[in-house]
mmCIF file of all heavy atoms in Angstrom:
data_model
loop_
_atom_site.group_PDB
_atom_site.id
_atom_site.type_symbol
_atom_site.label_atom_id
_atom_site.label_comp_id
_atom_site.label_asym_id
_atom_site.label_seq_id
_atom_site.Cartn_x
_atom_site.Cartn_y
_atom_site.Cartn_z
ATOM 1 N N ALA A 1 7.321 8.501 14.997
ATOM 2 C CA ALA A 1 6.882 8.771 13.625
ATOM 3 C C ALA A 1 6.645 10.265 13.478
ATOM 4 O O ALA A 1 5.947 10.870 14.304
ATOM 5 C CB ALA A 1 5.604 7.994 13.294
ATOM 6 N N VAL A 2 7.223 10.836 12.435
ATOM 7 C CA VAL A 2 7.087 12.277 12.193
ATOM 8 C C VAL A 2 6.659 12.495 10.744
ATOM 9 O O VAL A 2 7.373 12.104 9.812
ATOM 10 C CB VAL A 2 8.419 13.011 12.456
ATOM 11 C CG1 VAL A 2 8.258 14.502 12.162
ATOM 12 C CG2 VAL A 2 8.888 12.789 13.878
ATOM 13 N N PRO A 3 5.493 13.088 10.517
ATOM 14 C CA PRO A 3 5.092 13.406 9.153
ATOM 15 C C PRO A 3 5.892 14.574 8.616
ATOM 16 O O PRO A 3 6.246 15.492 9.368
ATOM 17 C CB PRO A 3 3.604 13.755 9.286
ATOM 18 C CG PRO A 3 3.453 14.205 10.700
ATOM 19 C CD PRO A 3 4.480 13.467 11.506
ATOM 20 N N THR A 4 6.200 14.560 7.340
ATOM 21 C CA THR A 4 6.935 15.660 6.724
ATOM 22 C C THR A 4 5.997 16.417 5.794
ATOM 23 O O THR A 4 4.846 16.038 5.599
ATOM 24 C CB THR A 4 8.131 15.134 5.911
ATOM 25 O OG1 THR A 4 7.637 14.466 4.742
ATOM 26 C CG2 THR A 4 8.967 14.169 6.736
ATOM 27 N N ALA A 5 6.519 17.474 5.211
ATOM 28 C CA ALA A 5 5.730 18.253 4.249
ATOM 29 C C ALA A 5 5.953 17.751 2.823
ATOM 30 O O ALA A 5 5.354 18.275 1.880
ATOM 31 C CB ALA A 5 6.106 19.728 4.345
ATOM 32 N N GLU A 6 6.793 16.729 2.670
ATOM 33 C CA GLU A 6 7.124 16.229 1.333
ATOM 34 C C GLU A 6 6.050 15.275 0.823
ATOM 35 O O GLU A 6 5.637 14.349 1.519
ATOM 36 C CB GLU A 6 8.469 15.512 1.354
ATOM 37 C CG GLU A 6 8.913 15.024 -0.016
ATOM 38 C CD GLU A 6 10.230 14.286 0.025
ATOM 39 O OE1 GLU A 6 10.842 14.210 1.116
ATOM 40 O OE2 GLU A 6 10.652 13.759 -1.024
ATOM 41 N N ARG A 7 5.633 15.503 -0.410
ATOM 42 C CA ARG A 7 4.617 14.648 -1.028
ATOM 43 C C ARG A 7 5.206 13.284 -1.365
ATOM 44 O O ARG A 7 6.298 13.177 -1.922
ATOM 45 C CB ARG A 7 4.110 15.321 -2.308
ATOM 46 C CG ARG A 7 2.896 14.653 -2.929
ATOM 47 C CD ARG A 7 1.646 15.063 -2.219
ATOM 48 N NE ARG A 7 0.458 14.590 -2.907
ATOM 49 C CZ ARG A 7 -0.755 14.720 -2.429
ATOM 50 N NH1 ARG A 7 -0.952 15.328 -1.271
ATOM 51 N NH2 ARG A 7 -1.805 14.268 -3.096
ATOM 52 N N ALA A 8 4.483 12.214 -1.003
ATOM 53 C CA ALA A 8 4.942 10.860 -1.310
ATOM 54 C C ALA A 8 4.515 10.467 -2.721
ATOM 55 O O ALA A 8 3.447 10.862 -3.197
ATOM 56 C CB ALA A 8 4.360 9.878 -0.301
ATOM 57 N N ARG A 9 5.355 9.704 -3.382
ATOM 58 C CA ARG A 9 4.986 9.192 -4.696
ATOM 59 C C ARG A 9 3.894 8.133 -4.548
ATOM 60 O O ARG A 9 3.856 7.419 -3.545
ATOM 61 C CB ARG A 9 6.194 8.567 -5.381
ATOM 62 C CG ARG A 9 7.317 9.528 -5.703
ATOM 63 C CD ARG A 9 8.530 8.764 -6.199
ATOM 64 N NE ARG A 9 9.025 7.815 -5.179
ATOM 65 C CZ ARG A 9 9.930 6.884 -5.425
ATOM 66 N NH1 ARG A 9 10.438 6.746 -6.644
ATOM 67 N NH2 ARG A 9 10.339 6.079 -4.448
ATOM 68 N N PRO A 10 2.997 8.007 -5.523
ATOM 69 C CA PRO A 10 1.974 6.958 -5.436
ATOM 70 C C PRO A 10 2.595 5.578 -5.628
ATOM 71 O O PRO A 10 3.475 5.393 -6.469
ATOM 72 C CB PRO A 10 1.016 7.312 -6.577
ATOM 73 C CG PRO A 10 1.839 8.090 -7.551
ATOM 74 C CD PRO A 10 2.839 8.852 -6.730
ATOM 75 N N HIS A 11 2.149 4.604 -4.837
ATOM 76 C CA HIS A 11 2.637 3.234 -4.951
ATOM 77 C C HIS A 11 1.447 2.282 -4.977
ATOM 78 O O HIS A 11 0.458 2.490 -4.264
ATOM 79 C CB HIS A 11 3.548 2.879 -3.772
ATOM 80 C CG HIS A 11 4.847 3.620 -3.764
ATOM 81 N ND1 HIS A 11 5.925 3.242 -4.521
ATOM 82 C CD2 HIS A 11 5.219 4.746 -3.092
ATOM 83 C CE1 HIS A 11 6.925 4.082 -4.309
ATOM 84 N NE2 HIS A 11 6.519 5.017 -3.452
ATOM 85 N N ASP A 12 1.560 1.248 -5.772
ATOM 86 C CA ASP A 12 0.509 0.241 -5.859
ATOM 87 C C ASP A 12 0.658 -0.719 -4.681
ATOM 88 O O ASP A 12 1.694 -1.382 -4.528
ATOM 89 C CB ASP A 12 0.615 -0.517 -7.183
ATOM 90 C CG ASP A 12 -0.487 -1.550 -7.317
ATOM 91 O OD1 ASP A 12 -1.627 -1.154 -7.592
ATOM 92 O OD2 ASP A 12 -0.185 -2.751 -7.130
ATOM 93 N N LEU A 13 -0.365 -0.822 -3.843
ATOM 94 C CA LEU A 13 -0.295 -1.646 -2.645
ATOM 95 C C LEU A 13 -0.084 -3.122 -2.990
ATOM 96 O O LEU A 13 0.714 -3.809 -2.349
ATOM 97 C CB LEU A 13 -1.571 -1.464 -1.821
ATOM 98 C CG LEU A 13 -1.660 -2.211 -0.495
ATOM 99 C CD1 LEU A 13 -0.502 -1.826 0.416
ATOM 100 C CD2 LEU A 13 -2.991 -1.922 0.191
ATOM 101 N N THR A 14 -0.791 -3.589 -4.005
ATOM 102 C CA THR A 14 -0.653 -4.992 -4.404
ATOM 103 C C THR A 14 0.771 -5.304 -4.844
ATOM 104 O O THR A 14 1.334 -6.350 -4.505
ATOM 105 C CB THR A 14 -1.631 -5.323 -5.543
ATOM 106 O OG1 THR A 14 -2.960 -5.024 -5.121
ATOM 107 C CG2 THR A 14 -1.546 -6.790 -5.930
ATOM 108 N N ALA A 15 1.379 -4.383 -5.580
ATOM 109 C CA ALA A 15 2.751 -4.597 -6.058
ATOM 110 C C ALA A 15 3.731 -4.639 -4.894
ATOM 111 O O ALA A 15 4.679 -5.438 -4.892
ATOM 112 C CB ALA A 15 3.140 -3.487 -7.032
ATOM 113 N N LEU A 16 3.527 -3.817 -3.885
ATOM 114 C CA LEU A 16 4.417 -3.813 -2.732
ATOM 115 C C LEU A 16 4.298 -5.105 -1.923
ATOM 116 O O LEU A 16 5.270 -5.559 -1.312
ATOM 117 C CB LEU A 16 4.120 -2.614 -1.829
ATOM 118 C CG LEU A 16 4.475 -1.232 -2.391
ATOM 119 C CD1 LEU A 16 4.112 -0.154 -1.380
ATOM 120 C CD2 LEU A 16 5.951 -1.138 -2.734
ATOM 121 N N LEU A 17 3.104 -5.693 -1.912
ATOM 122 C CA LEU A 17 2.886 -6.930 -1.158
ATOM 123 C C LEU A 17 3.324 -8.168 -1.932
ATOM 124 O O LEU A 17 3.531 -9.233 -1.343
ATOM 125 C CB LEU A 17 1.406 -7.066 -0.783
ATOM 126 C CG LEU A 17 0.854 -6.039 0.208
ATOM 127 C CD1 LEU A 17 -0.645 -6.209 0.360
ATOM 128 C CD2 LEU A 17 1.534 -6.172 1.567
ATOM 129 N N ARG A 18 3.483 -8.031 -3.248
ATOM 130 C CA ARG A 18 3.824 -9.191 -4.074
ATOM 131 C C ARG A 18 5.155 -9.803 -3.620
ATOM 132 O O ARG A 18 6.141 -9.109 -3.403
ATOM 133 C CB ARG A 18 3.904 -8.768 -5.536
ATOM 134 C CG ARG A 18 3.954 -9.935 -6.517
ATOM 135 C CD ARG A 18 3.821 -9.436 -7.947
ATOM 136 N NE ARG A 18 2.503 -8.847 -8.176
ATOM 137 C CZ ARG A 18 2.297 -7.640 -8.678
ATOM 138 N NH1 ARG A 18 3.327 -6.869 -8.999
ATOM 139 N NH2 ARG A 18 1.075 -7.187 -8.859
ATOM 140 N N GLY A 19 5.157 -11.101 -3.472
ATOM 141 C CA GLY A 19 6.371 -11.799 -3.054
ATOM 142 C C GLY A 19 6.559 -11.855 -1.550
ATOM 143 O O GLY A 19 7.502 -12.472 -1.067
ATOM 144 N N SER A 20 5.656 -11.243 -0.790
ATOM 145 C CA SER A 20 5.747 -11.254 0.662
ATOM 146 C C SER A 20 4.759 -12.259 1.249
ATOM 147 O O SER A 20 3.961 -12.858 0.532
ATOM 148 C CB SER A 20 5.443 -9.860 1.229
ATOM 149 O OG SER A 20 4.052 -9.576 1.129
ATOM 150 N N ALA A 21 4.808 -12.424 2.555
ATOM 151 C CA ALA A 21 3.878 -13.336 3.224
ATOM 152 C C ALA A 21 2.442 -12.836 3.124
ATOM 153 O O ALA A 21 1.498 -13.597 3.362
ATOM 154 C CB ALA A 21 4.277 -13.489 4.694
ATOM 155 N N ALA A 22 2.266 -11.565 2.772
ATOM 156 C CA ALA A 22 0.925 -10.980 2.671
ATOM 157 C C ALA A 22 0.476 -10.838 1.220
ATOM 158 O O ALA A 22 -0.429 -10.059 0.921
ATOM 159 C CB ALA A 22 0.894 -9.618 3.359
ATOM 160 N N ALA A 23 1.091 -11.596 0.321
ATOM 161 C CA ALA A 23 0.771 -11.468 -1.105
ATOM 162 C C ALA A 23 -0.686 -11.790 -1.419
ATOM 163 O O ALA A 23 -1.243 -11.280 -2.398
ATOM 164 C CB ALA A 23 1.692 -12.372 -1.926
ATOM 165 N N ASP A 24 -1.305 -12.633 -0.598
ATOM 166 C CA ASP A 24 -2.699 -13.028 -0.849
ATOM 167 C C ASP A 24 -3.707 -12.149 -0.109
ATOM 168 O O ASP A 24 -4.883 -12.505 -0.008
ATOM 169 C CB ASP A 24 -2.909 -14.492 -0.441
ATOM 170 C CG ASP A 24 -2.101 -15.452 -1.306
ATOM 171 O OD1 ASP A 24 -1.881 -15.121 -2.494
ATOM 172 O OD2 ASP A 24 -1.687 -16.507 -0.796
ATOM 173 N N ALA A 25 -3.250 -11.024 0.407
ATOM 174 C CA ALA A 25 -4.158 -10.134 1.142
ATOM 175 C C ALA A 25 -5.284 -9.644 0.240
ATOM 176 O O ALA A 25 -5.072 -9.360 -0.940
ATOM 177 C CB ALA A 25 -3.388 -8.938 1.698
ATOM 178 N N VAL A 26 -6.472 -9.577 0.781
ATOM 179 C CA VAL A 26 -7.643 -9.103 0.034
ATOM 180 C C VAL A 26 -8.300 -7.973 0.806
ATOM 181 O O VAL A 26 -8.157 -7.859 2.025
ATOM 182 C CB VAL A 26 -8.666 -10.236 -0.204
ATOM 183 C CG1 VAL A 26 -8.066 -11.321 -1.092
ATOM 184 C CG2 VAL A 26 -9.134 -10.844 1.125
ATOM 185 N N ARG A 27 -9.020 -7.150 0.096
ATOM 186 C CA ARG A 27 -9.715 -6.043 0.745
ATOM 187 C C ARG A 27 -10.903 -6.589 1.535
ATOM 188 O O ARG A 27 -11.606 -7.481 1.069
ATOM 189 C CB ARG A 27 -10.214 -5.055 -0.315
ATOM 190 C CG ARG A 27 -10.725 -3.749 0.279
ATOM 191 C CD ARG A 27 -11.042 -2.745 -0.826
ATOM 192 N NE ARG A 27 -9.888 -2.513 -1.672
ATOM 193 C CZ ARG A 27 -8.870 -1.736 -1.338
ATOM 194 N NH1 ARG A 27 -8.857 -1.127 -0.177
ATOM 195 N NH2 ARG A 27 -7.862 -1.571 -2.155
ATOM 196 N N PRO A 28 -11.141 -6.083 2.771
ATOM 197 C CA PRO A 28 -12.319 -6.526 3.534
ATOM 198 C C PRO A 28 -13.585 -6.370 2.711
ATOM 199 O O PRO A 28 -13.729 -5.414 1.940
ATOM 200 C CB PRO A 28 -12.324 -5.577 4.744
ATOM 201 C CG PRO A 28 -10.884 -5.191 4.908
ATOM 202 C CD PRO A 28 -10.328 -5.109 3.509
ATOM 203 N N THR A 29 -14.493 -7.316 2.850
ATOM 204 C CA THR A 29 -15.699 -7.320 2.015
ATOM 205 C C THR A 29 -16.501 -6.033 2.145
ATOM 206 O O THR A 29 -17.159 -5.602 1.197
ATOM 207 C CB THR A 29 -16.596 -8.519 2.375
ATOM 208 O OG1 THR A 29 -16.870 -8.496 3.795
ATOM 209 C CG2 THR A 29 -15.892 -9.828 2.045
ATOM 210 N N THR A 30 -16.442 -5.395 3.323
ATOM 211 C CA THR A 30 -17.208 -4.156 3.498
ATOM 212 C C THR A 30 -16.608 -2.999 2.693
ATOM 213 O O THR A 30 -17.304 -2.024 2.405
ATOM 214 C CB THR A 30 -17.258 -3.749 4.972
ATOM 215 O OG1 THR A 30 -15.922 -3.722 5.496
ATOM 216 C CG2 THR A 30 -18.102 -4.739 5.780
ATOM 217 N N LEU A 31 -15.306 -3.102 2.335
ATOM 218 C CA LEU A 31 -14.667 -2.041 1.577
ATOM 219 C C LEU A 31 -14.563 -2.365 0.097
ATOM 220 O O LEU A 31 -14.300 -1.481 -0.719
ATOM 221 C CB LEU A 31 -13.260 -1.786 2.128
ATOM 222 C CG LEU A 31 -13.151 -1.345 3.577
ATOM 223 C CD1 LEU A 31 -11.690 -1.113 3.949
ATOM 224 C CD2 LEU A 31 -13.969 -0.089 3.829
#
């Protein structure tokens, strides 16, 4: 893994997980 100097576009985590096996993922209660 190599980090670059290029800025990443913002992405919605929930949208990326939608339709996957992790679609029901929830934030830990402490967070």
